[in-house]
Each structure stands twice: as structure tokens, then as C-alpha cells.
Amino acid sequence: MTTLPHRPATALVIIDVQNDVMVGVHERERVVANIVALVSRARQSATPVIWVQHSSEKELAFGTDGWQLLGELPVDPDDPIVHKKHGDAFEDTGLETDLAASLVGHVVVAGAHTDFCVRSTLHGALVRGYDVTLVSDAHTAEDLTEWGAPPPAQVIAHTNMYWDNQTAPGRTAEAVATKEVTFTRPLP
């Protein structure tokens, strides 16, 4: 279990599901539907839902229409929204403060883009002591084959495979499908 003492709770962290980020991504509708289902299940168990929004001066300007979270997402006005400028959602943000306030030691991660911000945040959480679950069918990537990357389906499959085999002392890492995600953790 987590190496963060006295933090038995779980949070759902949804990364960068923003208008411009989600243009042309692999299986967009399925991924968004899975995220909506995860949010619904998290709320039923009183699990905190934390939204992450990326911004950059070059591509995703803060406050623009493209920067906004997708309109079909069930964002509650009381949900924390973390604003970031780096791939890792922990880096130079208030994410750790939000998680600590809710006694979270386990994060369930979904969102976009698999090969950038999702991967960075997975590793950022693990090295900071969290147990980390990647929702294997609720993250997505854009097609970057033009620049030598594998096709998005392979990027996603590879990330699921290597995350499910990740290890760290005193922490767990796993990749599970939406229907298998549990928001309650056994007490140590």
C-alpha cells in the first residue's frame, strides 16, 4: 500500500480532457464515456474527483475555448481543478495539497494524452509515494506517427502493459479497465 502514512483514501484524477487536447484522439467517444462512468461511480462512493487542465503559451492558452474542459464532462462546482504548465500534474501545482487534504494515498488516473501528461503524472504519483491505478480504457492519445511514434492504439496498449508491471517499494501500480476500478481501498 501507499508509503504515505495515514492516507487511506482514493481520488479520481482526470488529466487534460480539454477541447483542443481531445481533437482527433483515438476512440474519443469511448474514452469520454468511460470517464463519465468513472466520475459517476466515484461520486457514489464519495471519492474526490480532481480535474487537471494544461495550459501553454504556444498551444493551449489559459482561458480560451480550446483550453476549457469538454462540455460533456460532469464537472461539479465543488470539484478541485488543478492548473498545470508541465506534463506531470504534480509539478508546480496544488495537486498534492488537494490530495493531502482528502487523505488520499491512492490515485486513479484517466485522461489525455497517454504519451505525455498521463505518463508523466503516473510516474510523478508513484515517486511521490502514491499507489497508482491507470484506467486502461479511459486514456487516449493523438496520432503522432508522422513524427515516428507508434500508432495511438499501440501507444495506449504499451502504456497499459508497462504500467501494469511497474513496481516500487511499498507502493502498487496497476492498469485496469473502467468496469474493474474500485474506489474503496482496504484499510492497512
Side-chain angles (χ1 to χ4, degrees), residues 1-10 103-107 125-126 128-133 167-174 182-188:
M1 298 310 265
T2 178
T3 60
L4 301 169
H6 313 295
R7 290 178 57 177
T10 297
L103 302 177
V104 171
H106 172 230
V107 292
L126 193 67
R128 287 173 175 86
Y130 291 88
D131 292 328
V132 186
T133 298
T167 61
R171 287 153 280 168
T172 61
E174 63 182 351
T182 58
F183 289 110
T184 56
R185 303 287 282 183
L187 294 175

Side-chain angles (χ1 to χ4, degrees), residues 2 22 46 110 115 135 138 185:
T2 178
M22 297 297 286
D115 39 0
V135 186
R185 303 287 282 183

Side-chain angles (χ1 to χ4, degrees), residues 12-23 25 27-36 38-39 50-54 60 65-75 81-82 84 109-114 117-118 138-140:
L12 175 60
V13 178
I14 303 166
I15 302 169
D16 302 350
V17 184
Q18 298 162 255
N19 290 329
D20 281 359
V21 174
M22 297 297 286
V23 171
V25 295
E27 296 187 345
R28 179 192 186 279
E29 291 77 21
R30 181 185 60 81
V31 169
V32 171
N34 286 341
I35 290 170
V36 170
L38 287 164
V39 171
I50 300 174
W51 304 91
V52 178
Q53 277 180 290
H54 189 82
L60 201 57
D65 286 340
W67 169 85
Q68 300 295 329
L69 294 170
L70 292 182
E72 60 259 47
L73 297 174
V75 180
I81 298 179
V82 172
K84 70 177 180 65
V109 177
H113 287 143
T114 300
C117 298
V118 170
H139 64 99
T140 187

